Amino acid sequence: SLESKIRGQIAVVATAYRSDTSSGITNTGPYPPAVNQLSQYTIHWDVTNYSTDVQNVIVSAYLQSGSVFTGQVKSNVNTQPTYDAATGLVTWSIPNLPAGTGILGAPAEAIFQVANTPAVNQVDQVVTLMNQTNLSAYDAFANSTLNASADPITTYLSKDVTVAGGSGRVVQ
């Protein structure tokens, strides 16, 4: 008897928006970001699970210096991101995610708002709001851990068409 098990695949995409009316969360503050002025952004985590059911999905990232979690959160699954103010870690735990999530329908999505106040030493720089997003999940079918990651989030908002052409660099 021969048994072959193929491990699943999971992916996470992290994007940020300045104007995000479709989320229902209103962002305020200047864009491009300005020294000593608070600007708000919404961050979206989209998780796609391709071929096997997974359990214990953990998505996490650290907010960077000058960035704070505002408490505005939304999710299309039964859990929402949480924030540890002592460490700056944002974590989203999903107990179970069926195969085909994001393929046969919408991805699992969490949206949360962060605020950032750039310092004078960041003039003419793109500010990192949040470091790399990491995802881990357990694939019970293949008895293995799946991992994925997404690039850090900066004030250069490449997916936000409302700020097209904006560099995201801090101004005086």
Side-chain angles (χ1 to χ4, degrees):
S1 155
L2 176 65
E3 182 178 281
S4 295
K5 291 188 177 184
I6 298 175
R7 202 168 84 148
Q9 181 181 0
I10 197 163
V12 61
V13 174
T15 53
Y17 299 89
R18 176 71 188 89
S19 178
D20 193 12
T21 55
S22 64
S23 74
I25 298 174
T26 303
N27 294 317
T28 61
Y31 191 87
V35 170
N36 295 326
Q37 294 186 44
L38 184 131
S39 290
Q40 296 172 328
Y41 307 87
T42 48
I43 296 176
H44 292 237
W45 278 340
D46 293 309
V47 177
T48 300
N49 182 30
Y50 292 91
S51 56
T52 60
D53 294 343
V54 294
Q55 303 167 346
N56 302 324
V57 179
I58 306 292
V59 182
S60 62
Y62 287 95
L63 295 183
Q64 296 301 286
S65 179
S67 295
V68 294
F69 189 82
T70 69
Q72 293 282 335
V73 295
K74 293 188 171 202
S75 173
N76 66 356
V77 297
N78 60 356
T79 62
Q80 295 183 338
T82 59
Y83 178 64
D84 182 341
T87 63
L89 184 65
V90 180
T91 305
W92 184 29
S93 299
I94 307 169
N96 297 293
L97 200 59
T101 300
I103 302 298
L104 303 173
E109 181 176 50
I111 303 169
F112 55 95
Q113 185 183 57
V114 299
N116 180 273
T117 304
V120 70
N121 66 342
Q122 294 174 310
V123 170
D124 204 31
Q125 295 179 25
V126 173
V127 175
T128 300
L129 303 172
M130 185 176 77
N131 76 345
Q132 174 179 294
T133 297
N134 295 303
L135 177 148
S136 67
Y138 177 68
D139 181 341
F141 178 73
N143 190 26
S144 66
T145 300
L146 304 175
N147 294 295
S149 64
D151 290 337
I153 296 292
T154 70
T155 54
Y156 176 69
L157 307 174
S158 63
K159 300 292 184 190
D160 190 338
V161 298
T162 66
V163 295
S167 70
R169 294 181 184 276
V170 176
V171 296
Q172 188 67 41

